[in-house]
PDB file of all heavy atoms in Angstrom:
ATOM      1  N   ALA H   4      30.353 -17.846  15.871  1.00  0.00           N
ATOM      2  CA  ALA H   4      28.999 -18.054  16.386  1.00  0.00           C
ATOM      3  C   ALA H   4      28.227 -18.902  15.387  1.00  0.00           C
ATOM      4  O   ALA H   4      28.368 -18.738  14.177  1.00  0.00           O
ATOM      5  CB  ALA H   4      28.295 -16.725  16.599  1.00  0.00           C
ATOM      6  N   TYR H   5      27.428 -19.812  15.898  1.00  0.00           N
ATOM      7  CA  TYR H   5      26.566 -20.650  15.070  1.00  0.00           C
ATOM      8  C   TYR H   5      25.120 -20.296  15.366  1.00  0.00           C
ATOM      9  O   TYR H   5      24.712 -20.280  16.524  1.00  0.00           O
ATOM     10  CB  TYR H   5      26.787 -22.133  15.365  1.00  0.00           C
ATOM     11  CG  TYR H   5      28.180 -22.610  15.055  1.00  0.00           C
ATOM     12  CD1 TYR H   5      29.161 -22.624  16.037  1.00  0.00           C
ATOM     13  CD2 TYR H   5      28.507 -23.036  13.776  1.00  0.00           C
ATOM     14  CE1 TYR H   5      30.444 -23.069  15.755  1.00  0.00           C
ATOM     15  CE2 TYR H   5      29.794 -23.478  13.481  1.00  0.00           C
ATOM     16  CZ  TYR H   5      30.749 -23.492  14.482  1.00  0.00           C
ATOM     17  OH  TYR H   5      32.006 -23.924  14.198  1.00  0.00           O
ATOM     18  N   LEU H   6      24.352 -20.037  14.367  1.00  0.00           N
ATOM     19  CA  LEU H   6      22.930 -19.752  14.512  1.00  0.00           C
ATOM     20  C   LEU H   6      22.172 -20.961  13.979  1.00  0.00           C
ATOM     21  O   LEU H   6      22.331 -21.334  12.815  1.00  0.00           O
ATOM     22  CB  LEU H   6      22.549 -18.496  13.723  1.00  0.00           C
ATOM     23  CG  LEU H   6      21.081 -18.091  13.752  1.00  0.00           C
ATOM     24  CD1 LEU H   6      20.653 -17.772  15.187  1.00  0.00           C
ATOM     25  CD2 LEU H   6      20.864 -16.889  12.858  1.00  0.00           C
ATOM     26  N   CYS H   7      21.388 -21.589  14.830  1.00  0.00           N
ATOM     27  CA  CYS H   7      20.683 -22.814  14.446  1.00  0.00           C
ATOM     28  C   CYS H   7      19.184 -22.621  14.594  1.00  0.00           C
ATOM     29  O   CYS H   7      18.704 -22.261  15.665  1.00  0.00           O
ATOM     30  CB  CYS H   7      21.127 -23.975  15.324  1.00  0.00           C
ATOM     31  SG  CYS H   7      22.884 -24.346  15.188  1.00  0.00           S
ATOM     32  N   ASP H   8      18.462 -22.889  13.538  1.00  0.00           N
ATOM     33  CA  ASP H   8      17.007 -22.887  13.561  1.00  0.00           C
ATOM     34  C   ASP H   8      16.542 -24.170  14.248  1.00  0.00           C
ATOM     35  O   ASP H   8      17.193 -25.205  14.119  1.00  0.00           O
ATOM     36  CB  ASP H   8      16.489 -22.818  12.125  1.00  0.00           C
ATOM     37  CG  ASP H   8      14.980 -22.878  12.062  1.00  0.00           C
ATOM     38  OD1 ASP H   8      14.329 -22.048  12.714  1.00  0.00           O
ATOM     39  OD2 ASP H   8      14.456 -23.760  11.370  1.00  0.00           O
ATOM     40  N   PHE H   9      15.456 -24.111  14.966  1.00  0.00           N
ATOM     41  CA  PHE H   9      14.982 -25.306  15.664  1.00  0.00           C
ATOM     42  C   PHE H   9      14.226 -26.247  14.728  1.00  0.00           C
ATOM     43  O   PHE H   9      14.590 -27.403  14.562  1.00  0.00           O
ATOM     44  CB  PHE H   9      14.092 -24.916  16.852  1.00  0.00           C
ATOM     45  CG  PHE H   9      13.780 -26.084  17.739  1.00  0.00           C
ATOM     46  CD1 PHE H   9      14.654 -26.451  18.738  1.00  0.00           C
ATOM     47  CD2 PHE H   9      12.630 -26.821  17.546  1.00  0.00           C
ATOM     48  CE1 PHE H   9      14.385 -27.550  19.547  1.00  0.00           C
ATOM     49  CE2 PHE H   9      12.351 -27.920  18.349  1.00  0.00           C
ATOM     50  CZ  PHE H   9      13.224 -28.281  19.349  1.00  0.00           C
ATOM     51  N   ASP H  10      13.147 -25.750  14.111  1.00  0.00           N
ATOM     52  CA  ASP H  10      12.300 -26.585  13.258  1.00  0.00           C
ATOM     53  C   ASP H  10      13.024 -26.978  11.985  1.00  0.00           C
ATOM     54  O   ASP H  10      13.420 -26.137  11.189  1.00  0.00           O
ATOM     55  CB  ASP H  10      11.009 -25.856  12.900  1.00  0.00           C
ATOM     56  CG  ASP H  10      10.070 -25.715  14.083  1.00  0.00           C
ATOM     57  OD1 ASP H  10      10.152 -26.543  14.992  1.00  0.00           O
ATOM     58  OD2 ASP H  10       9.252 -24.788  14.078  1.00  0.00           O
ATOM     59  N   GLY H  11      13.182 -28.270  11.796  1.00  0.00           N
ATOM     60  CA  GLY H  11      13.845 -28.773  10.599  1.00  0.00           C
ATOM     61  C   GLY H  11      15.357 -28.849  10.723  1.00  0.00           C
ATOM     62  O   GLY H  11      16.031 -29.322   9.823  1.00  0.00           O
ATOM     63  N   THR H  12      15.906 -28.399  11.841  1.00  0.00           N
ATOM     64  CA  THR H  12      17.353 -28.451  12.057  1.00  0.00           C
ATOM     65  C   THR H  12      17.637 -29.233  13.345  1.00  0.00           C
ATOM     66  O   THR H  12      18.102 -30.357  13.297  1.00  0.00           O
ATOM     67  CB  THR H  12      17.957 -27.034  12.141  1.00  0.00           C
ATOM     68  OG1 THR H  12      17.639 -26.333  10.939  1.00  0.00           O
ATOM     69  CG2 THR H  12      19.460 -27.083  12.309  1.00  0.00           C
ATOM     70  N   ILE H  13      17.371 -28.637  14.476  1.00  0.00           N
ATOM     71  CA  ILE H  13      17.550 -29.342  15.746  1.00  0.00           C
ATOM     72  C   ILE H  13      16.520 -30.463  15.851  1.00  0.00           C
ATOM     73  O   ILE H  13      16.822 -31.554  16.301  1.00  0.00           O
ATOM     74  CB  ILE H  13      17.448 -28.362  16.938  1.00  0.00           C
ATOM     75  CG1 ILE H  13      18.573 -27.324  16.839  1.00  0.00           C
ATOM     76  CG2 ILE H  13      17.512 -29.113  18.261  1.00  0.00           C
ATOM     77  CD1 ILE H  13      18.446 -26.175  17.817  1.00  0.00           C
ATOM     78  N   SER H  14      15.320 -30.191  15.415  1.00  0.00           N
ATOM     79  CA  SER H  14      14.293 -31.218  15.254  1.00  0.00           C
ATOM     80  C   SER H  14      14.147 -31.474  13.765  1.00  0.00           C
ATOM     81  O   SER H  14      13.980 -30.523  13.002  1.00  0.00           O
ATOM     82  CB  SER H  14      12.959 -30.737  15.826  1.00  0.00           C
ATOM     83  OG  SER H  14      11.935 -31.638  15.455  1.00  0.00           O
ATOM     84  N   PRO H  15      14.204 -32.726  13.334  1.00  0.00           N
ATOM     85  CA  PRO H  15      14.079 -33.003  11.902  1.00  0.00           C
ATOM     86  C   PRO H  15      12.732 -32.576  11.315  1.00  0.00           C
ATOM     87  O   PRO H  15      12.621 -32.339  10.131  1.00  0.00           O
ATOM     88  CB  PRO H  15      14.234 -34.520  11.803  1.00  0.00           C
ATOM     89  CG  PRO H  15      14.948 -34.918  13.039  1.00  0.00           C
ATOM     90  CD  PRO H  15      14.518 -33.928  14.095  1.00  0.00           C
ATOM     91  N   ARG H  16      11.706 -32.461  12.145  1.00  0.00           N
ATOM     92  CA  ARG H  16      10.379 -32.057  11.674  1.00  0.00           C
ATOM     93  C   ARG H  16      10.096 -30.616  12.049  1.00  0.00           C
ATOM     94  O   ARG H  16      10.687 -30.074  12.969  1.00  0.00           O
ATOM     95  CB  ARG H  16       9.317 -32.959  12.282  1.00  0.00           C
ATOM     96  CG  ARG H  16       9.467 -34.385  11.752  1.00  0.00           C
ATOM     97  CD  ARG H  16       8.299 -35.278  12.017  1.00  0.00           C
ATOM     98  NE  ARG H  16       7.020 -34.685  11.729  1.00  0.00           N
ATOM     99  CZ  ARG H  16       5.923 -34.980  12.413  1.00  0.00           C
ATOM    100  NH1 ARG H  16       5.960 -35.830  13.413  1.00  0.00           N
ATOM    101  NH2 ARG H  16       4.768 -34.429  12.101  1.00  0.00           N
ATOM    102  N   ASP H  17       9.167 -30.022  11.353  1.00  0.00           N
ATOM    103  CA  ASP H  17       8.753 -28.650  11.646  1.00  0.00           C
ATOM    104  C   ASP H  17       7.667 -28.708  12.716  1.00  0.00           C
ATOM    105  O   ASP H  17       6.489 -28.867  12.417  1.00  0.00           O
ATOM    106  CB  ASP H  17       8.242 -27.963  10.380  1.00  0.00           C
ATOM    107  CG  ASP H  17       7.987 -26.491  10.582  1.00  0.00           C
ATOM    108  OD1 ASP H  17       7.647 -26.090  11.714  1.00  0.00           O
ATOM    109  OD2 ASP H  17       8.122 -25.724   9.616  1.00  0.00           O
TER     110      ASP H  17
END
Side-chain angles (χ1 to χ4, degrees):
Y5 297 93
L6 179 62
C7 299
D8 177 55
F9 190 85
D10 289 334
T12 303
I13 298 170
S14 170
R16 294 194 46 212
D17 188 330

